Amino acid sequence: MQQVQVVLGVGGGIAAYKSPDLVRKFIARGRDVTVVLTDAGSKFVTTHTLSAVSGNQVRNDLWDEQAERAMGHIELARWANLLVIAPGTADLLARLAHGHANDLLSTVYLATEAPVVIAPAMNQAMWRHKANQRNIGRLREDGVEFVGPEFGDQACGDVGPGRMSEPESIVEFCESLLDQSQCMKGLNVVVTAGPTREALDPVRFVSNYSSGRQGFAVARAAKQAGANVTLISGPVALDAAPGIDRIDVQTASEMKNAVLSVISTCDVFFSVAAVADYRPVSRKTQKIKKHLECSGKLVLELEETDDILTCVNEMSDRPFVVGFAAETQKTIEYGREKLQRKSLDAIVINDVSDSTIGFESTENEVTILSPQGRCTLHKQSKDKIAQQIVTNIASLRTCQPSSKANPS
């Protein structure tokens, strides 16, 4: 088995004195550790100490001529199976959240496709500040995991949240993440996301409020779990994670065709997109003029769009199919009915009438129904929901029964 390779980024906080112990505890778990020491971090701990405990050369210079002949910062980013940043100071979090690449650690962060864990460490007032919390929220949306901080006495004399978690806690958290992180290794996963748009005329369309956040989070989580991911997205203002193959579409018909073009090699299909159920029977080639054509009312004739889930389910050698349902009432009842009617392997349902977990929210709360039972994932960020969905589906897929029973 290949040894897990950990890049440890050390920021410039007093908690950096814990870094050598953190390195030792990773090595005790059989991990290979390379340290990236920031300029500020070097004020608290030396390269000699970190090199001695890790057994590897400490990297601390983006402009290292010898290393950069081979694009060393990119190689280091590719080398990592896990990027851990401890301590993560307020300044470092701000630079990472805004995509800065002005030192070796921030460049490795941008270039790696490995899971990222940050252990924050700062004054309690800095931790609570709205600007810092905005940066943390942005990093969470980007898929970063956080461990800590802890509540307690601080070097400045304050008491409150901001202490870096102890090395043992950080390692335990990372080991748990690594245990789950490759649950879809080598699988081909297709994810649909966002809304579709059905044109009325050249300037108007029928659509819905889907932001695409949950679908993009599922794609990102599947990629982090080792899958080869194709993301088929309706029109949204989101960027896909590095390494994901993205296909952009507009209409339900385009989304269906895109799905069918890749589904033959698919192992798991996540149908997260909020596909328009209806489209206009006819599309006007010119803009509809209110004062000329409508007479105070506009009557639309609509027809059903193709059902992508049904198309996939009718395949002779179909993948494991996971449906998603956004409901406004009788959430479990309607979800169970859809699971059975469409013969899905699992369905993820949520109540979009709750604005705190609705289409535009950064958080969600869902229930997964399957023939094996029911699992509720309580309110948290959509990234964390996505990671748990992926882990749950990977487990369901491995224990899928030969015949389907009614979910409890």
Side-chain angles (χ1 to χ4, degrees):
M1 182 183 297
Q2 182 182 3
Q3 188 177 31
V4 173
Q5 297 165 162
V6 178
V7 170
L8 173 63
V10 179
I14 186 62
Y17 81 87
K18 299 179 181 179
S19 298
D21 189 32
L22 182 56
V23 172
R24 293 180 60 196
K25 284 181 165 53
F26 271 122
I27 291 174
R29 298 294 186 101
R31 310 315 186 188
D32 188 5
V33 182
T34 292
V35 177
V36 175
L37 182 63
T38 64
D39 285 344
S42 67
K43 306 299 182 183
F44 298 92
V45 63
T46 69
T47 58
H48 301 293
T49 300
L50 293 169
S51 177
V53 295
S54 69
N56 289 323
Q57 177 185 354
V58 173
R59 298 289 304 279
N60 59 358
D61 187 2
L62 181 60
W63 305 105
D64 183 326
E65 183 176 347
Q66 182 175 352
E68 288 307 312
R69 282 199 190 100
M71 298 298 288
H73 63 288
I74 301 298
E75 289 303 314
L76 188 57
R78 291 172 178 164
W79 179 84
N81 301 121
L82 179 68
L83 172 59
V84 181
I85 298 173
T89 62
D91 175 71
L92 182 52
L93 266 59
R95 290 192 288 116
L96 299 180
H98 289 83
H100 292 193
N102 56 353
D103 66 0
L104 181 59
L105 180 55
S106 59
T107 306
V108 170
Y109 168 77
L110 287 179
T112 192
E113 295 181 17
V116 179
V117 175
I118 297 178
M122 64 194 72
N123 169 266
Q124 56 84 25
M126 296 171 70
W127 171 255
R128 292 185 170 114
H129 196 282
K130 289 181 179 180
N132 185 60
Q133 290 301 312
R134 280 197 303 271
N135 292 333
I136 291 166
R138 179 173 291 186
L139 289 167
R140 288 190 193 279
E141 285 189 18
D142 291 342
V144 173
E145 294 280 355
F146 284 83
V147 52
E150 309 300 330
F151 188 99
D153 295 331
Q154 300 183 328
C156 60
D158 285 359
V159 177
R163 286 174 57 91
M164 189 176 91
S165 296
E166 293 302 316
E168 186 64 36
S169 297
I170 296 171
V171 171
E172 288 293 341
F173 182 90
C174 292
E175 291 297 315
S176 175
L177 189 65
L178 288 167
D179 287 343
Q180 300 175 13
S181 67
Q182 297 300 296
C183 62
M184 287 195 171
K185 186 174 180 61
L187 297 181
N188 295 319
V189 170
V190 175
V191 181
T192 63
T196 61
R197 292 176 177 176
E198 309 299 329
L200 294 170
D201 63 20
V203 299
R204 301 180 180 92
F205 54 83
V206 177
S207 189
N208 57 63
Y209 292 113
S210 175
S211 67
R213 287 193 182 101
Q214 191 64 78
F216 274 63
V218 169
R220 185 162 50 244
K223 180 65 179 177
Q224 291 173 346
N228 306 307
V229 180
T230 298
L231 172 64
I232 301 171
S233 175
V236 297
L238 297 172
D239 294 324
I244 291 176
D245 294 327
R246 176 172 176 173
I247 302 174
D248 289 309
V249 300
Q250 290 282 328
T251 67
S253 177
E254 290 174 358
M255 183 169 283
K256 183 193 79 169
N257 292 336
V259 168
L260 294 181
S261 72
V262 296
I263 204 68
S264 62
T265 58
C266 175
D267 297 301
V268 183
F269 175 51
F270 290 96
S271 182
V272 193
V275 181
D277 294 317
Y278 296 93
R279 63 182 168 225
V281 171
S282 62
R283 176 186 182 275
K284 299 291 186 180
T285 58
Q286 302 295 329
K287 178 183 175 182
I288 299 170
K289 301 301 292 181
K290 182 171 65 173
H291 67 287
L292 295 177
E293 302 177 52
C294 299
S295 302
K297 292 183 180 180
L298 176 63
V299 179
L300 298 177
E301 186 179 3
L302 304 176
E303 61 183 1
E304 288 188 2
T305 57
D306 294 333
D307 190 318
I308 297 174
L309 275 177
T310 298
C311 293
V312 173
N313 265 337
E314 289 176 348
M315 296 175 57
S316 59
D317 186 22
R318 72 172 180 82
F320 191 95
V321 179
V322 184
F324 280 65
E327 302 291 351
T328 59
Q329 60 178 325
K330 299 181 180 178
T331 306
I332 302 300
E333 179 183 335
Y334 288 160
R336 184 179 290 114
E337 186 274 332
K338 183 175 180 179
L339 173 73
Q340 296 169 340
R341 173 168 47 85
K342 298 200 173 189
S343 299
L344 305 176
D345 296 302
I347 190 168
V348 181
I349 51 179
N350 70 323
D351 181 0
V352 294
S353 68
D354 181 348
S355 62
T356 66
I357 55 172
F359 284 127
E360 292 295 335
S361 174
T362 59
E363 295 184 312
N364 208 351
E365 178 171 305
V366 306
T367 297
I368 303 173
L369 294 178
S370 72
Q372 289 84 2
R374 169 177 169 179
C375 173
T376 297
L377 306 179
H378 294 291
K379 185 176 178 180
Q380 53 196 305
S381 74
K382 286 184 175 178
D383 279 299
K384 288 193 173 181
I385 288 286
Q387 290 161 6
Q388 293 175 54
I389 288 172
V390 166
T391 301
N392 192 290
I393 295 304
S395 177
L396 288 174
R397 181 177 176 272
T398 58
C399 65
Q400 184 181 39
S402 57
S403 60
K404 297 186 178 186
N406 291 331
S408 59

